[in-house]
Amino acid sequence: KLGDAFYFLDDGEYALTHTLRFESLAADWHALVDELGLPQAARLAVAKADTRKGRPYQPLYNERTRRMVAELCEREIERFGYRF
């Protein structure tokens, strides 16, 4: 599947201890930095942060591309509760 071999084991088990999600990246980053005991001065670079701000992503997909994403990213969609 779409690169999921990097974070799912052969038996389907999730292999990572932490996941930073784009939709909550800043909060996830700060929580990870705190948990690891790193200084909060460690910053994330932000680029194109407001490119699509407030606009829904669903209109960018048609039925064919929705099916493609659903198939290629099935485990990620299930794990993180994503849906169109």
Side-chain angles (χ1 to χ4, degrees), residues 2-9 12-16 19 73 75-76 79-80:
L2 190 65
D4 66 6
F6 294 109
Y7 43 89
F8 284 100
L9 301 175
E13 192 70 29
Y14 195 63
L16 303 179
T19 301
C73 302
R75 293 195 287 192
E76 294 88 341
R79 174 159 184 83
F80 298 114

